[in-house]
Amino acid sequence: MSDTAYTADEMMTIAAARMVRNGATLFVGIGLPSAAANLARLTHAPDTVLIYESGTIGSRPRVLPLSIGDGELAETADAVVSVPEMFAYWLQGGRIDLGFLGAAQIDRFANINTTVIGDYRKPSTRLPGAGGAPEIAASCKEVLITLRQNPRAFVETLDFVTSAGHLDGGDGRDRLRLPGKGPTAVITDLGIMTPDPVTKELTLTSIHPGVDVEQVKKATGWPLKVSGSLKTTEPPTDRELGVLRDLQERTALAHAGQA
């Protein structure tokens, strides 16, 4: 463990990265998911195959991409395929082990919204949209979701359902015959939640160092369930922090003036 100070975002990114299994085929979203996935690749999971929805397979970006169309992804990939092939053969064909998504809003069953805030016809905020997230959420064998936790993001009712988590809970995914397991963990800047095995409602199973349960509950827009065997997340190691900070520093230098 490290005695070095770290931020809540660093703890979140590192906790998410730890959930990536070495050798997994990983479909990656841009932003926090990409940072966590690449941190995993650069630390404990060097054989992980990173896939982005633009069609790049086996990308090893030296810096974090600005978008799925960033040339860095294609230049460092093992192969680049067409988008129809990526979705029809690789994703919907059940060949992706893990999907890694972000969200603007999430509900208690890990359904996510990346479309609009407010009424769809007259939204207060129009978000980037669905992209490949609905197919990733439906077809990957498992899904991880990472986002910062606050009552505006963790809501009782989504303004728009972009991607299916566990729908209305229970056997909701089975009733729609969705092939993947759906979200198996939600990693935030405060802790980690996993779905109840039966109801599929998100349950707090780990809190990050320095965070208390009441703080997490106040940041959640529904009565949050807490595991009876609640754990505390292991703090970042010096190596994890060093690799993450180096990656972010390289990215900032590479993208200076581009964002």
Side-chain angles (χ1 to χ4, degrees):
M1 292 185 293
S2 171
D3 293 326
T4 307
Y6 54 87
T7 68
D9 274 7
E10 288 174 331
M11 180 73 261
M12 171 174 55
T13 304
I14 289 167
R18 290 169 178 168
M19 293 193 172
V20 176
R21 301 182 298 276
N22 190 34
T25 304
L26 179 57
F27 209 120
V28 192
I30 295 299
L32 289 170
S34 186
N38 279 284
L39 175 60
R41 179 181 62 83
L42 292 169
T43 51
H44 70 278
D47 299 321
T48 297
V49 179
L50 300 191
I51 294 177
Y52 290 80
E53 67 181 87
S54 53
T56 58
I57 299 175
S59 290
R60 300 176 183 85
R62 295 172 290 270
V63 299
L64 297 175
L66 287 171
S67 72
I68 59 168
D70 197 316
E72 177 78 8
L73 297 177
E75 289 168 6
T76 61
D78 293 327
V80 180
V81 301
S82 69
V83 172
E85 178 181 330
M86 174 58 69
F87 280 84
Y89 180 80
W90 293 97
L91 182 56
Q92 293 167 341
R95 293 174 171 84
I96 309 298
D97 297 319
L98 188 62
F100 219 143
L101 296 173
Q105 287 183 331
I106 189 169
D107 68 13
R108 71 179 70 209
F109 296 117
N111 303 298
I112 65 176
N113 172 23
T114 56
T115 303
V116 294
I117 301 297
D119 182 81
Y120 182 79
R121 293 169 184 80
K122 286 190 175 182
S124 58
T125 303
R126 187 166 292 281
L127 301 167
E135 288 80 8
I136 295 169
S139 299
C140 287
K141 294 176 183 176
E142 296 180 53
V143 174
L144 299 177
I145 302 169
T146 185
L147 72 164
R148 298 177 185 91
Q149 191 160 357
N150 59 70
R152 291 179 300 171
F154 284 68
V155 296
E156 182 74 44
T157 303
L158 297 179
D159 291 340
F160 187 94
V161 179
T162 307
S163 306
H166 295 286
L167 300 162
D168 55 356
D171 64 350
R173 289 183 67 90
D174 291 337
R175 283 186 275 115
L176 280 189
R177 299 184 181 180
L178 298 179
K181 290 181 181 178
T184 53
V186 176
I187 307 98
T188 80
D189 51 344
L190 300 179
I192 300 170
M193 284 161 276
T194 58
D196 178 88
V198 177
T199 68
K200 303 301 181 183
E201 182 171 344
L202 291 176
T203 302
L204 183 66
T205 53
S206 182
I207 53 174
H208 299 329
V211 175
D212 61 51
V213 172
E214 286 306 310
Q215 184 180 352
V216 185
K217 286 183 174 181
K218 288 179 181 178
T220 308
W222 66 83
L224 179 64
K225 293 187 175 181
V226 179
S227 171
S229 55
L230 182 68
K231 300 177 181 178
T232 298
T233 312
E234 287 291 326
T237 65
D238 285 332
R239 179 168 183 251
E240 288 170 328
L241 281 172
V243 173
L244 176 59
R245 289 173 179 177
D246 182 61
L247 175 61
Q248 291 174 329
E249 183 177 344
R250 293 199 311 271
T251 299
L253 289 172
H255 294 162
Q258 296 181 40

